[in-house]
Amino acid sequence: MIAIEEKGDLLEVSVLGELALPDYRKLEQAVRRELKQLPKVKLLLDVRGMTGFTLDVAWEEIKFTRSHAHDFRRIAVVTPDQWAPWLSWVSAAFTDAEVMLFEDPRAAEAWLQERK
């Protein structure tokens, strides 16, 4: 299951259980909606409740991230240690956004709201 909340230029996304393709498509649609109004999006991705993802999600993530490599300003990922290596690889390989991993969602939100 995926929950998405749109807050201005910030998308807050929480994943619970296994992330499947229909849920990932909802995230893609939310990003596209935001990009119609803004040049770049900030993303808060909370995967603390995620138990895994399907193979088709992994492939879709690579395709989507590559096609939107310049559309994210910052991505804050709230994650337990188990997802950190995979998320770091994906973000470094396919996007030029600033990406930070956090254990505390409040710290992630604060970082997203910082001005450069």
Side-chain angles (χ1 to χ4, degrees), residues 48-100:
R48 291 175 296 167
M50 186 169 82
T51 59
F53 53 90
T54 60
L55 185 57
D56 53 355
V57 167
W59 178 243
E60 187 65 22
E61 164 67 16
I62 291 168
K63 293 188 313 182
F64 184 77
T65 305
R66 286 185 75 159
S67 68
H68 292 280
H70 308 292
D71 295 335
F72 292 92
R73 177 173 296 128
R74 284 185 161 184
I75 301 171
V77 182
V78 182
T79 179
D81 292 336
Q82 70 184 25
W83 299 116
W86 181 76
L87 293 165
S88 295
W89 175 79
V90 168
S91 63
F94 300 112
T95 182
D96 61 5
E98 291 181 77
V99 179
M100 292 285 291

Side-chain angles (χ1 to χ4, degrees), residues 100-112:
M100 292 285 291
L101 302 177
F102 296 89
E103 291 182 13
D104 178 19
R106 290 176 300 228
E109 289 177 38
W111 178 74
L112 285 167

